[in-house]
Amino acid sequence: MSEVSTIDLNRLPEHVNQTVRIQGWVHGLRGSNARQFLSLRNSGKILQVLAEKEILGEDLFSEIKHLKQETSVEVIGKLVENEKSPIGYELILSSYKKVGESENYPITPKEHGIDFLLSQRHLWLRSSKQLAIIKVRSELSYQIRKYFHTNQFTLIDTPILTGSIGESAGTLFSTEYFDLGNAYLAQTGQLYLETAIFAHNKVYCYGPTFRAEKSKTRRHLTEFWMVEAETAFLTHAENLKLQEDFVKTVIRETVAACAPELKVLERDPSPLLDYISKPFALIDYKEALEYLQSQGEDIVWGDDINSEREQMLCQKFGGPVFIQKYPREAKAFYMKVNPEDPRTVLNADLIAPDGVGEIIGGSEREESYENITKRLEEENLPVESYEWYLELRKYGSVPHSGFGLGTERLIAWICGLQHVRECIPFPRMMERLYP
């Protein structure tokens, strides 16, 4: 008898009608006194395993029938195609071996509250929908990197510990840094990313980002993953085109690769694909203000466009919308002032519909040493802490633009989820640091 191959669930098509060994965990069990259908989890997928008393005998069948949820096992049997199976294959069990016991697994098929599930996040990741979400996240991460690699962007790994403030001093996590005073967890990699355009022209970074915002909305995390891109000799208008192409490409490719996962999530991707089949709308902040005022909203120049108002604009335009040229005083010091209206800056936020909200923030950067120094002083930021950044404007400064996209919000949009807390393996929020 030939040796039995040990395979994982990513290699099933190669082994149809062969006897194989699969190692995994009991995800669920159902059936009758003659047949049991064991759901076996491996590699983020679930395989149906058919156990028949007639084949296995009374004793072995009884053992199978009484397996507990999350018991780890090794099964051997013939792999066959089965259209009724969730992944199109089924294993006809001939023998099995128990590897690790599982007693009183806390997450059962009954309904559980979200606080309980988040406290059991280390185990909740094994559940069907969570398996699907993490698979989508993994695929999206790959597609993001693939997009930038294909378009000749160079990856720059920017520091997480920094002495500079990138966004707002009010949302910084600080820590003592030996004898050098305070260091901060990075709010953005952008300032460091800008240094690299003078060496590589087109660059990006992708990693964790930290914001100490005291926000409990369904769109906020204190630690999230952001992809940022920066390009030399790129105008604001060109930056908008790059952002739109980037978002459409990674969504389209991720949806195409994750059809089984979206099915598990009961997410019909048709509306999403319809959104990205059309050009994204583009309006000025001033125009957005006028429309919202016409709808009875009490909003004036300089006010933030909150999430409800963002969705009103998405509904007006029937999909995603870029809102550009925000008031200068409301935006970061590094954004270039709009030469046609100095009250505003050359920036834009991309707002997604379906309650998702802002997924991208981007702008043309100020390339003038004098102008950016003046902006730092206006913001009461310590100019000496930014000397290295200001030197970029001394030695061959050029027009350049960039943007940042929050991964979790994009995952929520692709998966049709209401809260970003399920879009990252271990969410960090105001009230949660465990597990």
Side-chain angles (χ1 to χ4, degrees):
M1 183 177 176
S2 61
E3 185 177 346
V4 176
S5 298
T6 301
I7 68 169
D8 62 45
L9 300 192
N10 293 314
R11 297 174 53 201
L12 297 182
E14 306 166 32
H15 297 276
V16 176
N17 296 322
Q18 295 179 15
T19 297
V20 296
R21 176 188 293 106
I22 300 176
Q23 300 158 326
W25 294 264
V26 176
H27 195 79
L29 198 62
R30 61 182 176 83
S32 64
N33 288 326
R35 310 174 96 199
Q36 286 288 316
F37 294 95
L38 184 153
S39 297
L40 185 72
R41 189 181 66 255
N42 170 294
S43 305
K45 295 181 171 65
I46 297 171
L47 176 68
Q48 179 172 287
V49 177
L50 173 60
E52 296 185 282
K53 184 189 289 187
E54 188 176 339
I55 295 175
L56 299 173
E58 182 75 41
D59 292 343
L60 191 56
F61 182 80
S62 180
E63 282 185 40
I64 297 287
K65 188 177 178 180
H66 292 93
L67 283 173
K68 302 291 180 60
Q69 186 180 354
E70 293 305 320
T71 299
S72 52
V73 297
E74 181 178 283
V75 299
I76 295 176
K78 184 178 181 181
L79 184 68
V80 298
E81 292 183 283
N82 184 340
E83 292 181 0
K84 294 181 180 179
S85 173
I87 58 175
Y89 300 92
E90 181 178 70
L91 188 81
I92 311 300
L93 187 67
S94 57
S95 69
Y96 99 104
K97 179 175 72 175
K98 190 182 295 185
V99 177
E101 296 281 0
S102 175
E103 290 288 342
N104 301 316
Y105 186 68
I107 302 178
T108 62
K110 71 175 186 179
E111 288 290 324
H112 293 285
I114 188 65
D115 285 339
F116 171 82
L117 290 171
L118 286 171
S119 295
Q120 300 290 332
R121 187 61 172 164
H122 52 297
L123 302 177
W124 190 26
L125 289 172
R126 307 179 187 189
S127 300
S128 298
K129 287 192 174 182
Q130 303 308 312
L131 293 174
I133 294 166
I134 295 302
K135 282 288 188 179
V136 172
R137 181 187 177 96
S138 177
E139 183 64 31
L140 177 62
S141 175
Y142 167 71
Q143 293 298 339
I144 285 170
R145 289 176 168 86
K146 179 183 175 184
Y147 179 89
F148 286 117
H149 183 78
T150 301
N151 287 279
Q152 288 82 48
F153 279 72
T154 300
L155 174 66
I156 305 295
D157 294 319
T158 58
I160 288 175
L161 285 170
T162 175
S164 303
I165 297 168
E167 295 290 338
S168 166
T171 61
L172 285 167
F173 286 105
S174 65
T175 183
E176 292 183 9
Y177 195 78
F178 304 108
D179 297 327
L180 298 180
N182 281 343
Y184 307 101
L185 294 182
Q187 299 166 314
T188 172
Q190 179 208 314
L191 304 188
Y192 295 97
L193 206 57
E194 283 186 63
T195 69
I197 64 169
F198 297 88
H200 300 282
N201 280 63
K202 300 195 296 185
V203 296
Y204 80 102
C205 64
Y206 192 16
T209 305
F210 305 87
R211 301 281 171 89
E213 292 181 86
K214 293 185 176 180
S215 176
K216 294 183 180 180
T217 78
R218 62 191 180 90
R219 303 189 307 164
H220 284 86
L221 295 165
T222 56
E223 178 185 333
F224 60 96
W225 277 61
M226 185 155 68
V227 56
E228 298 176 88
E230 206 73 28
T231 308
F233 303 102
L234 193 75
T235 66
H236 169 61
E238 292 168 331
N239 192 30
L240 293 178
K241 291 179 181 178
L242 173 63
Q243 292 172 56
E244 183 166 342
D245 182 64
F246 167 63
V247 169
K248 288 180 173 179
T249 300
V250 298
I251 289 177
R252 184 171 56 248
E253 296 299 322
T254 301
V255 167
C258 293
E261 287 75 23
L262 296 177
K263 186 176 180 181
V264 169
L265 295 168
E266 300 177 342
R267 169 58 158 160
D268 177 6
S270 302
L272 182 61
L273 295 175
D274 184 55
Y275 287 142
I276 66 171
S277 69
K278 299 172 288 193
F280 292 168
L282 173 64
I283 60 167
D284 288 358
Y285 172 87
K286 179 182 176 182
E287 295 173 288
L289 215 62
E290 291 169 352
Y291 171 73
L292 292 168
Q293 289 168 344
S294 75
Q295 299 301 301
E297 291 292 302
D298 183 16
I299 184 171
V300 297
W301 181 267
D303 285 353
D304 184 36
I305 299 176
N306 63 26
S307 57
E308 291 78 11
R309 290 164 176 166
E310 288 175 345
Q311 293 309 302
M312 289 173 66
L313 292 165
C314 288
Q315 288 170 11
K316 171 178 169 57
F317 291 100
V321 55
F322 279 110
I323 306 174
Q324 67 170 352
K325 300 175 182 175
Y326 280 74
R328 170 181 169 178
E329 64 269 16
K331 291 299 176 180
F333 70 90
Y334 50 74
M335 295 185 181
K336 187 176 178 67
V337 173
N338 180 6
E340 296 178 1
D341 181 0
R343 298 183 306 160
T344 65
V345 289
L346 295 177
N347 84 306
D349 292 340
L350 176 60
I351 311 302
D354 306 326
V356 175
E358 179 192 339
I359 55 173
I360 282 185
S363 74
E364 186 168 340
R365 316 311 192 187
E366 178 55 68
E367 77 268 23
S368 161
Y369 180 89
E370 292 75 17
N371 290 348
I372 204 163
T373 303
K374 184 178 178 182
R375 288 287 285 128
L376 283 167
E377 291 169 349
E378 288 174 355
E379 295 289 328
N380 293 316
L381 292 171
V383 175
E384 62 277 6
S385 295
Y386 294 89
E387 277 302 323
W388 62 271
Y389 183 69
L390 292 171
E391 285 189 353
L392 303 178
R393 275 71 182 169
K394 285 183 177 180
Y395 307 119
S397 187
V398 297
H400 61 288
S401 301
F403 66 88
L405 175 143
T407 304
E408 286 74 22
R409 288 191 188 177
L410 187 53
I411 295 167
W413 194 22
I414 292 171
C415 294
L417 301 173
Q418 293 300 304
H419 204 300
V420 294
R421 64 191 168 203
E422 292 185 61
C423 300
I424 190 168
F426 294 95
R428 296 293 178 247
M429 298 176 285
M430 269 183 65
E431 72 285 1
R432 186 161 295 280
L433 195 58
Y434 176 92

